[in-house]
Amino acid sequence: MGIIAFAVVLFLLVQAKFILIALAIAIILFSLTSDAINSISKLRIGPFRIANWVASIAAVFLIASSLLTMAGLVISQLNTVLSTTLSYTDDAQRAIAQIFSWMGEDVEQSVLQTVRSIEISSYLRSAAGQAGTILSQVVLIILFVGFLFAERVWFGTKLEKLMADEAQARRVSAIIGSIIRRVNRYLLVKTLISSVTGFAIFLLLSVFNLQFAAAMGLLTFVLNYIPSVGSIIATLIVTLVAYIQVPEPQTAVLIFVIAGMTQFMLGNVIDPMLMGKTLRLSSFGIIISLAFWGAVWGIPGMFLAVPFMVAVMIVCSHIPSARPVAVLLSREGLPEEEFPLTPIIAPTETPAERPLSRAVGAE
């Protein structure tokens, strides 16, 4: 029965991935802005206080504007890359083959023939078709975020009614709050590090006067959200793009070294300092999570793998029968939490006065 249930859940995850991915991203964006909305709603301008619904509408508008701007930027860079890629096809094939020239002329020719057998035009058409999908996904995310904000006031009441026990509702609320605080810290730090890294790659390619500097900076920014392997893939792609445009090994090696050092310093030195104790996840568990969600949802699943893993670890750590799973997922065997579980729902508040961010983990 367990195998059948897992198969059914896996089938539904794959078949409904378009909606589920949009819902997962909407929940993450909603949790990121809930605390900010609570802070804004407490501000006073003279004798007037900013209403909660005004702050919510402003947050939805800000999220929608940011998502649409990001989607437009991605689509424009995608069109720029696709429109000029065909002119670099022959150069790219020869550059890739030359990488294996040290193994002999026969190997180089074999690699060249193999690369030329790849139907690049079909892949380009497939990539161009993703533009409409990106825009549809963004619109669906905005709709989900809007309805989540509309329901936020009554979440605490629904949670108490669902649990039928106020103490249990407080415990569930505290667990959700711990998940949200950890995921929020992770995403904020990742966004900062990815932004700095992407801008550094943009400056690096601009200094060498290479094309696709903006596209490579954006690609680095996006791929850095994939832990462990994202930065490696981004560095290799940047190096390959540079080598195709300037077929000089010295230039390619220099760009590889500078990009690699930038990724190492920001990802392995600055990132852990800012992250603190927020994530103590097993490296092997992260790879397994990346492989699983990548197989189920593709590249979007790889972006969501770490938040999902954090949620599973925290939930399992508070279920006695599932605690061994949490221990295996953690790096140090469930160390002391940086965000301890504390009751979030105040007993003196009425349901109408209790916003969702208080019920799901605002400090």
Side-chain angles (χ1 to χ4, degrees):
M1 292 297 294
I3 294 174
I4 294 174
F6 177 77
V8 171
V9 171
L10 192 61
F11 174 78
L12 294 176
L13 285 174
V14 174
Q15 294 300 315
K17 66 179 181 179
F18 184 83
I19 296 176
L20 294 178
I21 290 172
L23 180 59
I25 296 175
I27 291 174
I28 291 174
L29 292 175
F30 169 73
S31 66
L32 280 171
T33 54
S34 292
D35 290 349
I37 287 177
N38 270 353
S39 301
I40 293 174
S41 63
K42 295 176 183 178
L43 297 177
R44 290 184 176 275
I45 302 176
F48 301 100
R49 175 177 164 178
I50 299 176
N52 200 285
W53 64 270
V54 174
S56 298
I57 292 176
V60 173
F61 177 78
L62 180 61
I63 292 174
S65 302
S66 301
L67 287 176
L68 291 174
T69 302
M70 180 63 69
L73 183 60
V74 170
I75 292 173
S76 65
Q77 292 300 319
L78 182 62
N79 291 333
T80 301
V81 172
L82 294 178
S83 62
T84 56
T85 296
L86 290 176
S87 61
Y88 281 101
T89 301
D90 293 336
D91 295 337
Q93 293 171 347
R94 285 194 295 269
I96 294 173
Q98 287 175 3
I99 297 176
F100 299 88
S101 60
W102 63 274
M103 300 178 67
E105 186 177 351
D106 295 339
V107 176
E108 182 180 355
Q109 291 299 321
S110 298
V111 172
L112 181 59
Q113 292 177 3
T114 302
V115 173
R116 284 178 174 174
S117 65
I118 300 174
E119 293 289 339
I120 297 180
S121 58
S122 62
Y123 288 103
L124 294 179
R125 286 194 296 268
S126 177
Q130 298 299 318
T133 304
I134 293 174
L135 194 56
S136 301
Q137 195 99 44
V138 167
V139 172
L140 189 59
I141 292 171
I142 293 172
L143 289 175
F144 280 148
V145 169
F147 282 104
L148 283 172
F149 275 110
E151 293 285 330
R152 66 190 295 268
V153 175
W154 304 105
F155 182 82
T157 304
K158 290 181 179 181
L159 187 60
E160 289 183 356
K161 299 293 183 182
L162 183 64
M163 295 290 105
D165 181 7
E166 186 175 352
Q168 186 67 15
R170 290 174 182 276
R171 181 171 179 79
V172 172
S173 172
I175 292 173
I176 297 174
S178 179
I179 294 172
I180 288 178
R181 285 190 288 266
R182 286 193 178 199
V183 172
N184 284 358
R185 169 75 74 83
Y186 167 76
L187 291 176
L188 289 174
V189 172
K190 272 295 181 184
T191 300
L192 175 61
I193 297 298
S194 298
S195 300
V196 175
T197 307
F199 184 69
I201 296 299
F202 167 76
L203 290 179
L204 175 62
L205 296 184
S206 299
V207 168
F208 283 90
N209 198 25
L210 299 176
Q211 286 187 315
F212 309 129
M216 291 300 101
L218 181 61
L219 180 67
T220 301
F221 169 78
V222 173
L223 288 179
N224 268 29
Y225 279 95
I226 302 177
S228 303
V229 299
S231 58
I232 298 175
I233 296 174
T235 302
L236 293 177
I237 292 176
V238 169
T239 305
L240 181 59
V241 169
Y243 184 62
I244 291 172
Q245 297 182 56
V246 183
E248 297 177 0
Q250 298 85 350
T251 303
V253 170
L254 180 60
I255 291 177
F256 174 79
V257 171
I258 296 176
M261 290 179 60
T262 302
Q263 293 278 11
F264 178 81
M265 288 297 299
L266 292 174
N268 295 281
V269 179
I270 307 299
D271 193 322
M273 291 173 56
L274 296 178
M275 201 72 72
K277 299 179 182 178
T278 303
L279 295 180
R280 294 294 188 182
L281 300 177
S282 166
S283 300
F284 182 72
I286 291 176
I287 296 299
I288 296 297
S289 181
L290 285 174
F292 175 78
W293 288 108
V296 174
W297 283 353
I299 294 179
M302 299 179 74
F303 290 111
L304 298 170
V306 172
F308 287 164
M309 189 175 173
V310 171
V312 171
M313 185 183 71
I314 294 176
V315 171
C316 290
S317 67
H318 295 280
I319 301 176
S321 60
R323 187 173 177 83
V325 176
V327 173
L328 291 175
L329 292 178
S330 66
R331 179 185 302 175
E332 303 168 359
L334 293 178
E336 183 180 354
E337 293 187 354
E338 185 176 3
F339 300 122
L341 292 180
T342 54
I344 303 299
I345 302 176
T348 57
E349 288 180 330
T350 62
E353 294 172 339
R354 186 186 305 131
L356 175 60
S357 58
R358 290 292 301 278
V360 298
E363 293 181 322

